[in-house]
Each structure stands twice: as C-alpha cells, then as structure tokens.
Amino acid sequence: MQHRELGNSGVEVSEIGFGAWVVGTDWWGDRSDEQAVGMVEDALDAGVTYVDTGDVYGHGDSEEIIGRAIGGRRDEVTLATKIGYDFYNNPQAGHGELPKELDREYLETAFERSLDRLDTDYVDLLQLHNANVDDITPEVRDLLREWKADGRVRALGWALGPSIGWLAEGDAAVEYEEFDAVQTVFNLFEQQPGRHFVDTIRETGSDTSVIARVPHSSGLLNEQVTPDTVLEDGDHRSHRPQEWYETGWKKVDAIRFLEDPDGVEGTRTMAQAAIRWLLAHDEVASVTPTFRDGDDIAEWSAASDVPPLSEAEYDRVEELYARNFDIDRDDGMDVLRTSVDGEDIEAAGLDKRAASY
C-alpha cells in the first residue's frame, strides 16, 4: 500500500481508504456490528490505514463501530470524520438529506460527541459535511483554525454531495487556505466536477488534495451491478435511473483494454483499473470505494500495487470520454448540484446542467 499527503498538512493517507458509510447503516447491505468491526480490521490488515466516517452515518453508529474497530490500533489509522448535519433534532426520511447546521455552538457540540463515539481525543481529518458555500462564514473558519491549533484536528476538509456536484463549494475548498482536502464523487465515467477541481488546483497552485468517493460509479466499474442484477429498494445504488446502468454497461465494454495492459491477461481487474485511473492524478490523495465484504477489501486494496495506467492507456480513456464512449443516448444523470442556480456550472464551462432539486 502506497501513501500520499493531504495537501501540505503532513497527514498521510493510504491510497485506498475505507469509506465507513458502509457500516452503521443498511444502505449497502445488512451486517451485524461484529461483522462491521471485522471488515474494518480486515481492511487495516490489508494496509488500508485511511478510515473515513461521519457522524450522520447511522446517526452515530458508524463512528461507534469505527471506535471499537480501531481500539488498540489508533496509531495505525489516519482517522477522518464529518460533521454538519443535524440528525439530533431531525428524523431521517429514507435516504433524504437532513437539515444542516453550522453555527459555532452546534459544531462544537457535534465535534465533541464525535470524539466521544470514536473514543479518541483527536481526528486526523475533520470534514464539513455537504456544507453550503454561504454557510462557511469567517466565524466557522475561525473555529476550524482553533481546532487545528489545539491539536484536536490535524487536517481539514470539505466533503461534497450527496449528488454529483456542488461546484461552488469545491472551488471554495480549493481557494480557502484552511482546507487541506475536498471530497467528491469522481470516477472514470463521472469525471465532473472532480476534473474541474483537479484543473483548478493545478492552475492556482493550491495545496488542496482530492479524496475520490464512488470510484466504481455505483457498481458499474466493479461489475457488481450487471444486467442480471436486481437492486432492492433499500440499496443506495437504486437511486440511479435504469438508463444510467444501460449506457454504463456499454462503457465498461469500451474500456476492457484496461484489464490487460500490453496484452498481459489478468494484470488488473476492472475495479482495480478504475482506482488506478483516479490515482493517475497526483492531486488525488486517496480513493474510498464502498467495501461490502472481505473479497472487496482484498481485491481493491491491492489496486495500490498493480501497474499504473500507461500514458497511452490514459489518453485512450480521455478520447473515449470526449466522445461519450461513442454512445448517443442520454444516461439520465447529466446534472450537477449547485448552490448558485447553475451559474457556477456555466462559468466553469462544464457541459452539464444544474439539478432540478
């Protein structure tokens, strides 16, 4: 397992991280707490030292599970969590988004509760969870700097979502000096706005790192969703339209060459190739796939050590992406979340439109 630095914070993360949204909820399959703890321990044993959770996952359950799993191994782990959703005073409605709260008093209380559940006195990376750009006031930024100065936080990040975009927020994370990382959906099929942030980091000389989530495009690039797959209503991947998967299967066929570079069969699995494509960007510090079991952990954690994409392979992917993989059909997902009614998307020159919700 290789490691990269978050910005210039001095905090190192494993190139493949453990996205702990999978534990503490049943959105990606039901498992007992003991099974969830075992998954985390298996990931640590496989060299996955970056663990990324959030207080809203299972309304604190994920943090408690992570706290148990890393007990006695805290010094091996680069631990990240997120705050900003007020689940304490609002019920969860299915997979719907909860109200956000970012005033100083709430954030202080939420952070202390997270530390208690994680059974630690500091986190390596604290992220604001899907915060709107207008909510990151000078007072909020002052509070983040205070936490960093007193040692309870080693690095700061801004986690974007829950949809594909939030372009203005990511740009702000790159611009504001407090933030060492921006987390976003980013994968070979869904390259925006991740590529936009990478380009902005390069153009501005920013030290901000990108943490890529959903690297397998909701089951397409790890081939866990095939034409024969039936997604249950509770499966988080079922929010994708059918058109998304139908066009996606054709795209997967178009990039089969990534599995067998130089004609060497079995060099990479498709899931590993998808991770290697992300790691071809120096700005990407860590990739956080959604591990569902031990087989996923064994295969995907090994992606750090399989051959990187060659320049020719990367360029071929770029050419295919520019032609929409030669598919002339709407996939139903040509939208980005935005905080300014699409003006940020237009200003960035992205061939996307603002989401209608």
Side-chain angles (χ1 to χ4, degrees), residues 13 15 25 35 61 63 109 140 149 153 155 202 219 292-293 308 325 345:
V13 293
E15 287 187 335
T25 73
Q35 290 171 321
D61 289 347
E63 288 183 325
T109 299
V140 170
V153 172
R202 292 175 180 176
R292 297 169 67 90
D293 54 35
F325 300 87
I345 296 172

PDB file of all heavy atoms in Angstrom, residues 13 15 25 35 61 63 109 140 149 153 155 202 219 292-293 308 325 345:
ATOM      1  N   VAL A  13      -2.263   9.618   3.990  1.00  0.00           N
ATOM      2  CA  VAL A  13      -3.391   8.698   3.865  1.00  0.00           C
ATOM      3  C   VAL A  13      -3.004   7.561   2.929  1.00  0.00           C
ATOM      4  O   VAL A  13      -2.209   7.744   2.004  1.00  0.00           O
ATOM      5  CB  VAL A  13      -4.645   9.409   3.334  1.00  0.00           C
ATOM      6  CG1 VAL A  13      -5.173  10.412   4.341  1.00  0.00           C
ATOM      7  CG2 VAL A  13      -4.361  10.109   2.005  1.00  0.00           C
ATOM      8  N   GLU A  15      -3.489   5.162  -0.177  1.00  0.00           N
ATOM      9  CA  GLU A  15      -4.083   5.480  -1.477  1.00  0.00           C
ATOM     10  C   GLU A  15      -5.492   4.915  -1.615  1.00  0.00           C
ATOM     11  O   GLU A  15      -6.315   5.482  -2.342  1.00  0.00           O
ATOM     12  CB  GLU A  15      -3.200   4.942  -2.604  1.00  0.00           C
ATOM     13  CG  GLU A  15      -1.914   5.728  -2.806  1.00  0.00           C
ATOM     14  CD  GLU A  15      -1.138   5.288  -4.026  1.00  0.00           C
ATOM     15  OE1 GLU A  15      -1.301   4.114  -4.454  1.00  0.00           O
ATOM     16  OE2 GLU A  15      -0.360   6.100  -4.557  1.00  0.00           O
ATOM     17  N   THR A  25     -25.127   1.562   8.754  1.00  0.00           N
ATOM     18  CA  THR A  25     -26.381   1.680   8.014  1.00  0.00           C
ATOM     19  C   THR A  25     -26.613   0.380   7.249  1.00  0.00           C
ATOM     20  O   THR A  25     -25.709  -0.455   7.129  1.00  0.00           O
ATOM     21  CB  THR A  25     -26.346   2.838   6.990  1.00  0.00           C
ATOM     22  OG1 THR A  25     -25.510   2.471   5.882  1.00  0.00           O
ATOM     23  CG2 THR A  25     -25.791   4.113   7.623  1.00  0.00           C
ATOM     24  N   GLN A  35     -19.687  -8.067  12.493  1.00  0.00           N
ATOM     25  CA  GLN A  35     -19.227  -8.215  11.123  1.00  0.00           C
ATOM     26  C   GLN A  35     -18.618  -6.911  10.603  1.00  0.00           C
ATOM     27  O   GLN A  35     -17.613  -6.928   9.885  1.00  0.00           O
ATOM     28  CB  GLN A  35     -20.390  -8.648  10.220  1.00  0.00           C
ATOM     29  CG  GLN A  35     -20.859 -10.063  10.449  1.00  0.00           C
ATOM     30  CD  GLN A  35     -22.142 -10.368   9.694  1.00  0.00           C
ATOM     31  OE1 GLN A  35     -23.045  -9.536   9.593  1.00  0.00           O
ATOM     32  NE2 GLN A  35     -22.222 -11.578   9.147  1.00  0.00           N
ATOM     33  N   ASP A  61     -23.844   5.563  14.722  1.00  0.00           N
ATOM     34  CA  ASP A  61     -23.470   4.146  14.816  1.00  0.00           C
ATOM     35  C   ASP A  61     -22.146   3.856  14.110  1.00  0.00           C
ATOM     36  O   ASP A  61     -21.327   3.068  14.608  1.00  0.00           O
ATOM     37  CB  ASP A  61     -24.565   3.262  14.224  1.00  0.00           C
ATOM     38  CG  ASP A  61     -25.811   3.212  15.093  1.00  0.00           C
ATOM     39  OD1 ASP A  61     -25.739   3.664  16.252  1.00  0.00           O
ATOM     40  OD2 ASP A  61     -26.848   2.714  14.617  1.00  0.00           O
ATOM     41  N   GLU A  63     -19.564   5.808  13.644  1.00  0.00           N
ATOM     42  CA  GLU A  63     -18.434   6.276  14.457  1.00  0.00           C
ATOM     43  C   GLU A  63     -18.183   5.332  15.628  1.00  0.00           C
ATOM     44  O   GLU A  63     -17.016   5.048  15.959  1.00  0.00           O
ATOM     45  CB  GLU A  63     -18.703   7.693  14.965  1.00  0.00           C
ATOM     46  CG  GLU A  63     -18.613   8.758  13.879  1.00  0.00           C
ATOM     47  CD  GLU A  63     -18.815  10.154  14.430  1.00  0.00           C
ATOM     48  OE1 GLU A  63     -19.631  10.311  15.371  1.00  0.00           O
ATOM     49  OE2 GLU A  63     -18.177  11.093  13.917  1.00  0.00           O
ATOM     50  N   THR A 109     -20.556  21.196  19.785  1.00  0.00           N
ATOM     51  CA  THR A 109     -21.224  20.057  20.417  1.00  0.00           C
ATOM     52  C   THR A 109     -21.094  18.803  19.557  1.00  0.00           C
ATOM     53  O   THR A 109     -20.789  17.712  20.058  1.00  0.00           O
ATOM     54  CB  THR A 109     -22.713  20.376  20.645  1.00  0.00           C
ATOM     55  OG1 THR A 109     -22.828  21.505  21.517  1.00  0.00           O
ATOM     56  CG2 THR A 109     -23.442  19.186  21.266  1.00  0.00           C
ATOM     57  N   VAL A 140     -16.994  30.364  11.244  1.00  0.00           N
ATOM     58  CA  VAL A 140     -16.772  28.921  11.086  1.00  0.00           C
ATOM     59  C   VAL A 140     -15.305  28.654  10.792  1.00  0.00           C
ATOM     60  O   VAL A 140     -14.688  27.747  11.367  1.00  0.00           O
ATOM     61  CB  VAL A 140     -17.667  28.358   9.966  1.00  0.00           C
ATOM     62  CG1 VAL A 140     -17.266  26.915   9.634  1.00  0.00           C
ATOM     63  CG2 VAL A 140     -19.131  28.413  10.377  1.00  0.00           C
ATOM     64  N   ALA A 149      -5.260  24.374  15.763  1.00  0.00           N
ATOM     65  CA  ALA A 149      -4.197  24.904  16.622  1.00  0.00           C
ATOM     66  C   ALA A 149      -4.098  24.143  17.936  1.00  0.00           C
ATOM     67  O   ALA A 149      -2.990  23.969  18.477  1.00  0.00           O
ATOM     68  CB  ALA A 149      -4.448  26.389  16.890  1.00  0.00           C
ATOM     69  N   VAL A 153      -7.545  18.518  15.708  1.00  0.00           N
ATOM     70  CA  VAL A 153      -7.682  18.273  14.277  1.00  0.00           C
ATOM     71  C   VAL A 153      -6.326  18.492  13.632  1.00  0.00           C
ATOM     72  O   VAL A 153      -5.658  19.494  13.901  1.00  0.00           O
ATOM     73  CB  VAL A 153      -8.719  19.232  13.643  1.00  0.00           C
ATOM     74  CG1 VAL A 153      -8.717  19.094  12.124  1.00  0.00           C
ATOM     75  CG2 VAL A 153     -10.109  18.984  14.204  1.00  0.00           C
ATOM     76  N   ALA A 155      -5.870  17.989  10.066  1.00  0.00           N
ATOM     77  CA  ALA A 155      -6.129  18.493   8.715  1.00  0.00           C
ATOM     78  C   ALA A 155      -7.622  18.737   8.586  1.00  0.00           C
ATOM     79  O   ALA A 155      -8.440  18.163   9.311  1.00  0.00           O
ATOM     80  CB  ALA A 155      -5.651  17.502   7.655  1.00  0.00           C
ATOM     81  N   ARG A 202      -4.344  22.703 -10.157  1.00  0.00           N
ATOM     82  CA  ARG A 202      -3.144  22.873 -10.973  1.00  0.00           C
ATOM     83  C   ARG A 202      -2.961  24.324 -11.406  1.00  0.00           C
ATOM     84  O   ARG A 202      -1.848  24.864 -11.371  1.00  0.00           O
ATOM     85  CB  ARG A 202      -3.225  21.964 -12.191  1.00  0.00           C
ATOM     86  CG  ARG A 202      -3.136  20.483 -11.861  1.00  0.00           C
ATOM     87  CD  ARG A 202      -3.341  19.605 -13.092  1.00  0.00           C
ATOM     88  NE  ARG A 202      -3.261  18.186 -12.746  1.00  0.00           N
ATOM     89  CZ  ARG A 202      -3.470  17.193 -13.591  1.00  0.00           C
ATOM     90  NH1 ARG A 202      -3.795  17.460 -14.860  1.00  0.00           N
ATOM     91  NH2 ARG A 202      -3.380  15.946 -13.192  1.00  0.00           N
ATOM     92  N   GLY A 219     -21.381   0.677  -8.802  1.00  0.00           N
ATOM     93  CA  GLY A 219     -21.441  -0.736  -9.136  1.00  0.00           C
ATOM     94  C   GLY A 219     -21.121  -1.088 -10.567  1.00  0.00           C
ATOM     95  O   GLY A 219     -21.026  -2.265 -10.915  1.00  0.00           O
ATOM     96  N   ARG A 292     -17.901  -4.008   0.570  1.00  0.00           N
ATOM     97  CA  ARG A 292     -19.076  -4.711   1.081  1.00  0.00           C
ATOM     98  C   ARG A 292     -18.718  -6.010   1.806  1.00  0.00           C
ATOM     99  O   ARG A 292     -19.518  -6.507   2.598  1.00  0.00           O
ATOM    100  CB  ARG A 292     -20.043  -5.005  -0.064  1.00  0.00           C
ATOM    101  CG  ARG A 292     -20.599  -3.748  -0.719  1.00  0.00           C
ATOM    102  CD  ARG A 292     -21.341  -4.075  -2.006  1.00  0.00           C
ATOM    103  NE  ARG A 292     -22.547  -4.840  -1.754  1.00  0.00           N
ATOM    104  CZ  ARG A 292     -23.741  -4.301  -1.540  1.00  0.00           C
ATOM    105  NH1 ARG A 292     -23.883  -2.984  -1.545  1.00  0.00           N
ATOM    106  NH2 ARG A 292     -24.804  -5.058  -1.327  1.00  0.00           N
ATOM    107  N   ASP A 293     -17.524  -6.549   1.527  1.00  0.00           N
ATOM    108  CA  ASP A 293     -17.123  -7.797   2.185  1.00  0.00           C
ATOM    109  C   ASP A 293     -15.614  -7.963   2.058  1.00  0.00           C
ATOM    110  O   ASP A 293     -14.916  -7.110   1.481  1.00  0.00           O
ATOM    111  CB  ASP A 293     -17.851  -9.012   1.592  1.00  0.00           C
ATOM    112  CG  ASP A 293     -17.690  -9.126   0.081  1.00  0.00           C
ATOM    113  OD1 ASP A 293     -16.615  -8.772  -0.444  1.00  0.00           O
ATOM    114  OD2 ASP A 293     -18.654  -9.579  -0.583  1.00  0.00           O
ATOM    115  N   PRO A 308       0.386   1.007 -12.717  1.00  0.00           N
ATOM    116  CA  PRO A 308      -0.373   2.226 -13.029  1.00  0.00           C
ATOM    117  C   PRO A 308      -0.731   2.271 -14.501  1.00  0.00           C
ATOM    118  O   PRO A 308      -0.143   1.541 -15.319  1.00  0.00           O
ATOM    119  CB  PRO A 308       0.596   3.351 -12.657  1.00  0.00           C
ATOM    120  CG  PRO A 308       1.945   2.741 -12.795  1.00  0.00           C
ATOM    121  CD  PRO A 308       1.793   1.304 -12.389  1.00  0.00           C
ATOM    122  N   PHE A 325     -17.900   7.781 -25.100  1.00  0.00           N
ATOM    123  CA  PHE A 325     -17.719   6.349 -25.322  1.00  0.00           C
ATOM    124  C   PHE A 325     -18.523   5.868 -26.534  1.00  0.00           C
ATOM    125  O   PHE A 325     -18.963   4.733 -26.594  1.00  0.00           O
ATOM    126  CB  PHE A 325     -18.093   5.555 -24.059  1.00  0.00           C
ATOM    127  CG  PHE A 325     -17.274   5.919 -22.853  1.00  0.00           C
ATOM    128  CD1 PHE A 325     -17.648   6.974 -22.030  1.00  0.00           C
ATOM    129  CD2 PHE A 325     -16.113   5.242 -22.553  1.00  0.00           C
ATOM    130  CE1 PHE A 325     -16.886   7.332 -20.927  1.00  0.00           C
ATOM    131  CE2 PHE A 325     -15.341   5.587 -21.456  1.00  0.00           C
ATOM    132  CZ  PHE A 325     -15.724   6.647 -20.645  1.00  0.00           C
ATOM    133  N   ILE A 345     -21.753  26.425 -12.802  1.00  0.00           N
ATOM    134  CA  ILE A 345     -21.524  25.434 -13.849  1.00  0.00           C
ATOM    135  C   ILE A 345     -21.264  26.128 -15.180  1.00  0.00           C
ATOM    136  O   ILE A 345     -20.337  25.782 -15.914  1.00  0.00           O
ATOM    137  CB  ILE A 345     -22.734  24.484 -13.958  1.00  0.00           C
ATOM    138  CG1 ILE A 345     -22.888  23.679 -12.664  1.00  0.00           C
ATOM    139  CG2 ILE A 345     -22.582  23.549 -15.151  1.00  0.00           C
ATOM    140  CD1 ILE A 345     -24.146  22.857 -12.603  1.00  0.00           C
TER     141      ILE A 345
END
